[in-house]
């Protein structure tokens, strides 16, 4: 694999290897509204900050004299073997970050064996991404429409186009109070650039045209915004509604946005295959607990009954090790890959993901860990000195 051979000493032509500088690098090339959308969070960003601080409160305990020239990064998820323990998180409206958008990023992911999760709010269609991702692994993330006909159509297209798992995002049935986006006028949403999945859907289109009639071209985006904010609102869903998704999807169903151990238990009770412990990267309920803080408790509650995945706040290979050591089976990478996309398009995003994998591989070696199974609670400790 590319990240193993020479990657550590490879000069990165496009993106910085310093996790703390990547965001600044992206800021230089992005329009302020796009930068605010990706780098921002909800409220006063208390949860975003907590996500990072929580990683600092766990430290690894390395072992010595355990030569490990080759680390095995493979993991088993839902009965399949994956080359690495990272997945590309669903991130919408990628056209506002780079013209390569979801097409470029999903193709980069295929080249390095990282599963790509396509957002319902994407600016590329299900079919386009399937083609770009080719023989790669792809999952579909559902912002769950209230309209069952639209849901069924999206699931059918995802299935027909080789998306093997369904990620149902639960924490975004309404958009949070996000000051930077509110002050900037939510430009990406008003422009409707995240509507490609919906607008390329025949059922959605038919309903849209029925409701709005022939909408003049210059008004279509405004109309689409009103329509999507109605359709892509999960306000009315409850746990019992999951039966509908189970009946209409034959692959694994993974609930994204779980933070409470009781909700994790409900996910088991309602027959879900996996959960993603996540607070949406601090973009939804500000003041919510750090995602990492809840991970061990959730793993203790349900870890033997379903697959626990994790995201929110991962910036380095060591962060990945920490989440895995606390019981996550794999992790999703959000903002860092998008900063890479902004800076260098498809190649920039690929370099960020490869860099994370190289860092993970090297850090595991330095900790005396040979395989992902070696990332467990015996190598991690909670500390109280911060920093
Ligand atoms: C997201 N996220 C997200 N999640 C989702 O389920 N559907 C989506 O469309 C989006 N869109 C989105 C856009 C942008 C710009 C960001 C930064 C994030 C959340 C994402 O999947 C993931 O949970 C977080 O990004 C993880 O946190 P970090 O790694 O960014 O800190």
């Amino acid at each position: 694999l590319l990240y193993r051979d020479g990657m550590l000493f490879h000069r990165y032509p496009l993106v910085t290897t310093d996790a703390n500088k990547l965001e600044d690098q992206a800021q230089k090339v992005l329009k302020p509204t796009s930068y605010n959308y990706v780098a921002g969070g909800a409220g006063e960003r208390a949860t975003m900050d907590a996500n990072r601080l929580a990683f600092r409160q766990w430290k690894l305990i390395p072992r010595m004299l355990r030569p490990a020239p080759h680390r095995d990064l493979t993991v088993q998820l839902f009965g399949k073997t994956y080359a690495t323990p990272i997945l590309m998180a669903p991130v919408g409206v990628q056209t506002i970050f780079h013209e390569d958008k979801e097409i470029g990023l999903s193709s980069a992911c295929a080249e390095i064996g990282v599963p790509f999760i396509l957002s319902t709010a994407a600016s590329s269609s299900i079919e386009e991404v399937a083609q770009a991702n080719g023989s790669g692994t792809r999952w579909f993330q559902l912002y769950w429409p209230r309209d069952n006909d639209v849901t069924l159509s999206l699931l059918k297209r995802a299935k027909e186009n080789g998306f093997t798992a369904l990620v149902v995002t639960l924490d975004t049935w309404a958009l949070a109070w996000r000051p930077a986006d509110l002050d900037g006028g939510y430009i990406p949403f008003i422009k409707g650039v995240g509507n490609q999945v919906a607008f390329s859907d025949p059922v959605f289109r038919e309903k849209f045209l029925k409701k709005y009639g022939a909408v003049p071209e210059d008004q279509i985006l405004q109309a689409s915004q009103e329509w999507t904010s109605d359709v892509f609102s999960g306000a009315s869903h409850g746990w019992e509604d999951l039966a509908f998704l189970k009946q209409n999807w034959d692959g694994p169903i993974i609930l994204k946005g779980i933070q409470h151990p009781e909700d994790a238990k409900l996910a088991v009770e309602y027959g879900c295959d996996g959960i993603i412990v996540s607070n949406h990267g601090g973009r939804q309920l500000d003041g919510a607990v750090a995602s990492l803080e809840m991970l061990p408790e959730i793993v203790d509650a349900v870890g033997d009954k379903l697959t626990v995945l994790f995201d929110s706040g991962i910036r380095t290979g060591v962060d990945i090790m920490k989440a895995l050591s606390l019981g996550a089976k794999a992790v999703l990478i959000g903002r860092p890959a998008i900063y890479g996309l902004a800076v260098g398009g498809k190649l920039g995003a690929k370099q960020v993901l490869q860099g994370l994998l190289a860092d993970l591989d090297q850090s595991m070696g330095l900790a005396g860990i040979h395989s992902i199974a070696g990332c467990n609670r015996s190598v991690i400790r909670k500390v109280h000195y911060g920093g």
Side-chain angles (χ1 to χ4, degrees):
L1 275 174
L2 295 169
Y3 57 87
R4 294 217 181 130
D5 298 316
M7 194 62 202
L8 291 171
F9 304 104
H10 172 72
R11 270 190 80 233
Y12 288 77
L14 294 174
V15 295
T16 171
T17 55
D18 186 333
N20 293 320
K21 292 189 182 145
L22 187 57
E23 183 177 319
D24 294 344
Q25 210 186 6
Q27 186 174 16
K28 292 200 180 84
V29 299
L30 285 171
K31 283 189 199 155
T33 48
S34 301
Y35 171 75
N36 287 339
Y37 184 59
V38 58
E44 53 173 339
R45 303 192 191 190
T47 295
M48 253 184 92
D49 291 346
N51 283 341
R52 291 298 302 138
L53 288 169
F55 276 99
R56 290 293 179 97
Q57 287 176 358
W58 289 96
K59 303 286 186 203
L60 298 165
I61 314 162
R63 301 290 305 274
M64 298 297 136
L65 294 174
R66 295 157 66 99
H70 300 291
R71 269 74 64 179
D72 178 3
L73 299 193
T74 58
V75 290
Q76 305 284 326
L77 301 177
F78 311 108
K80 281 193 196 148
T81 303
Y82 290 79
T84 80
I86 70 169
L87 304 101
M88 182 59 222
V91 170
V93 298
Q94 290 179 19
T95 189
I96 68 170
F97 307 119
H98 195 279
E99 62 187 4
D100 287 358
K101 55 184 180 176
E102 291 85 355
I103 293 175
L105 186 44
S106 63
S107 149
C109 285
E111 288 169 13
I112 55 172
V114 171
F116 179 82
I117 310 178
L118 174 66
S119 164
T120 304
S123 32
S124 307
S125 73
I126 288 176
E127 292 75 12
E128 286 169 328
V129 168
Q131 202 184 356
N133 188 244
S135 59
T137 300
R138 47 191 175 270
W139 295 1
F140 183 67
Q141 176 262 323
L142 185 70
Y143 276 139
W144 195 349
R146 270 186 290 203
D147 184 324
N148 280 347
D149 297 338
V150 176
T151 304
L152 284 178
S153 183
L154 294 177
L155 297 186
K156 180 165 170 278
R157 284 167 67 209
K159 230 180 297 179
E160 285 171 0
N161 283 282
F163 291 77
T164 51
L166 185 67
V167 172
V168 187
T169 299
L170 304 179
D171 57 19
T172 314
W173 52 270
L175 275 182
W177 188 258
R178 297 183 191 171
D181 295 325
L182 291 166
D183 290 351
Y186 263 108
I187 302 294
F189 290 93
I190 285 170
K191 287 191 174 166
V193 294
N195 287 339
Q196 286 309 319
V197 170
F199 257 81
S200 57
D201 190 88
V203 173
F204 182 95
R205 279 188 84 91
E206 195 190 304
K207 291 196 181 222
F208 178 85
L209 292 174
K210 210 161 154 194
K211 180 165 178 193
Y212 290 95
V215 178
E217 204 54 42
D218 61 345
Q219 283 170 33
I220 198 157
L221 292 175
Q222 204 177 344
S224 78
Q225 191 214 0
E226 186 193 321
W227 174 252
T228 43
S229 62
D230 176 47
V231 171
F232 294 111
S233 158
S236 61
H237 292 121
W239 285 96
E240 62 284 358
D241 297 322
L242 287 169
F244 176 78
L245 296 182
K246 275 180 74 75
Q247 275 157 23
N248 292 291
W249 180 262
D250 50 20
I253 295 182
I254 303 151
L255 303 183
K256 178 169 184 279
I258 299 291
Q259 295 173 74
H260 202 298
E262 292 304 320
D263 279 349
K265 288 183 197 162
L266 284 168
V268 174
E269 195 180 315
Y270 283 87
C272 297
D273 304 277
I275 54 173
I276 303 171
V277 178
S278 166
N279 56 30
H280 213 103
R283 301 165 72 78
Q284 284 299 104
L285 177 63
D286 194 39
V289 67
S291 189
L292 194 72
E293 179 71 25
M294 298 313 296
L295 179 62
E297 220 177 300
I298 289 177
V299 168
D300 289 343
V302 301
D304 55 342
K305 299 188 184 77
L306 48 64
T307 300
V308 179
L309 308 176
F310 172 88
D311 79 23
S312 297
I314 289 187
R315 296 294 176 268
T316 68
V318 163
D319 293 340
I320 299 171
M321 283 177 71
K322 289 178 181 176
L324 297 173
S325 298
L326 292 174
K329 292 283 184 266
V331 302
L332 282 60
I333 307 299
R335 290 184 185 86
I338 300 302
Y339 295 143
L341 181 72
V343 172
K346 170 186 164 173
L347 187 57
K350 184 173 163 181
Q351 287 180 355
V352 166
L353 292 170
Q354 282 179 308
L356 275 169
L357 290 169
D359 178 12
L360 168 67
D361 184 45
Q362 178 76 323
S363 300
M364 279 173 58
L366 291 173
I369 295 171
H370 300 183
S371 69
I372 299 300
C375 293
N376 57 49
R377 293 208 194 159
S378 72
V379 303
I380 193 163
R381 172 170 298 185
K382 196 159 200 180
V383 297
H384 303 282
Y385 43 79

